[in-house]
Amino acid sequence: DIVMTQSPDSLAVSLGERATINCKSSQTVLYSSNNKNYLAWYQQKPGQPPKLLIYWASTRESGVPDRFSGSGSGTDFTLTISSLQAEDVAVYYCQQYYTTPQTFGQGTRLEIK
Amino acid sequence: QVQLQESGPGLVKPSETLSLTCTVSGYSLTSGYYWGWIRQPPGKGLEWIGSIYHSGTTYYNPSLKSRVTISVDTSKNQFSLKVRSVTAADTAVYYCARGEDYPNWFAPWGQGTLVTVSS
């Protein structure tokens, strides 16, 4: 199985500041034939299901605010929130869908400082 | 707008079978997409259980494959999950979700249902 490791486990950022969450895969999730990274990001608020934010490592899902962006390639990826809003408090997960079984990172808890 | 809703018993005894159904509205299962089950133990991360196509083709997480069956009922626009021989380790919130392909990201997700394994 591909192991997804996120860092940090938790993060406190001031309102309006940048938040950065990292995700590292134990092997590449870049498919060379189409040059796509098979990596998604989700946001999960308390008592709610995960919500898709980003797929193909950097494509924002429809309706997701543009302060959310994804970057990286191969084995190292980053989710960036450019200007933290109060409603962004949540746990964030990365997921690889390069191969089966699809696997998720352990999650990063984002709080307001 | 597609919506998914999980249903089933919230309490299952150890060694018995956990059975859940996901009802899909706003989209016909026969139109395509893959339909999956993911679980989340209390306070923990996400684990993909398995996925099914409307044709009945299934894909399972090898870690659970020996105990899991996913099936589809296109006449009711539902798909179902069975987990046999459950233990306390199977206690989790179980989500159903749609995948555009297999393997793939999941969107949208159902609200989830908590299943507790306890005598």
Side-chain angles (χ1 to χ4, degrees), chain B residues 33-53:
Chain B
Y33 288 102
Y34 291 76
W35 306 87
W37 289 98
I38 303 101
R39 69 181 183 179
Q40 184 173 37
K44 296 188 177 181
L46 300 160
E47 179 181 36
W48 172 70
I49 300 170
S51 297
I52 190 166
Y53 193 55

Side-chain angles (χ1 to χ4, degrees), chain B residues 11-64:
Chain B
L11 181 64
V12 180
K13 289 182 169 55
S15 80
E16 296 190 345
T17 297
L18 177 163
S19 297
L20 296 175
T21 296
C22 182
T23 301
V24 179
S25 59
Y27 188 86
S28 171
L29 293 183
T30 58
S31 295
Y33 288 102
Y34 291 76
W35 306 87
W37 289 98
I38 303 101
R39 69 181 183 179
Q40 184 173 37
K44 296 188 177 181
L46 300 160
E47 179 181 36
W48 172 70
I49 300 170
S51 297
I52 190 166
Y53 193 55
H54 68 83
S55 63
T57 301
T58 51
Y59 305 87
Y60 297 121
N61 190 323
S63 69
L64 296 166

Side-chain angles (χ1 to χ4, degrees), chain A residues 1-8 21-29 39-41 71-79 93-96 103-108:
Chain A
D1 297 6
I2 295 180
V3 177
M4 307 300 290
T5 303
Q6 293 181 226
S7 62
I21 298 170
N22 301 300
C23 174
K24 188 175 184 66
S25 57
S26 61
Q27 63 189 75
T28 187
V29 298
L39 190 285
W41 288 98
S71 62
S73 185
T75 61
D76 293 278
F77 300 90
T78 300
L79 175 69
Y93 294 93
C94 60
Q95 177 220 344
Q96 67 80 18
T103 50
F104 296 84
Q106 82 277 16
T108 294

Side-chain angles (χ1 to χ4, degrees), chain B residues 4-115:
Chain B
L4 298 88
Q5 180 66 58
E6 305 87 352
S7 60
L11 181 64
V12 180
K13 289 182 169 55
S15 80
E16 296 190 345
T17 297
L18 177 163
S19 297
L20 296 175
T21 296
C22 182
T23 301
V24 179
S25 59
Y27 188 86
S28 171
L29 293 183
T30 58
S31 295
Y33 288 102
Y34 291 76
W35 306 87
W37 289 98
I38 303 101
R39 69 181 183 179
Q40 184 173 37
K44 296 188 177 181
L46 300 160
E47 179 181 36
W48 172 70
I49 300 170
S51 297
I52 190 166
Y53 193 55
H54 68 83
S55 63
T57 301
T58 51
Y59 305 87
Y60 297 121
N61 190 323
S63 69
L64 296 166
K65 186 175 182 177
S66 64
R67 299 193 294 127
V68 169
T69 301
I70 297 175
S71 59
V72 63
D73 185 339
T74 55
S75 68
K76 295 181 179 179
N77 221 39
Q78 297 175 333
F79 60 105
S80 299
L81 169 71
K82 291 187 186 300
V83 182
R84 295 175 291 278
S85 305
V86 297
T87 69
D90 294 307
T91 294
V93 175
Y94 285 76
Y95 296 101
C96 56
R98 186 179 72 175
E100 188 170 300
D101 200 343
Y102 178 80
N104 207 244
W105 61 84
F106 292 102
W109 297 53
Q111 280 298 308
T113 187
L114 174 63
V115 179

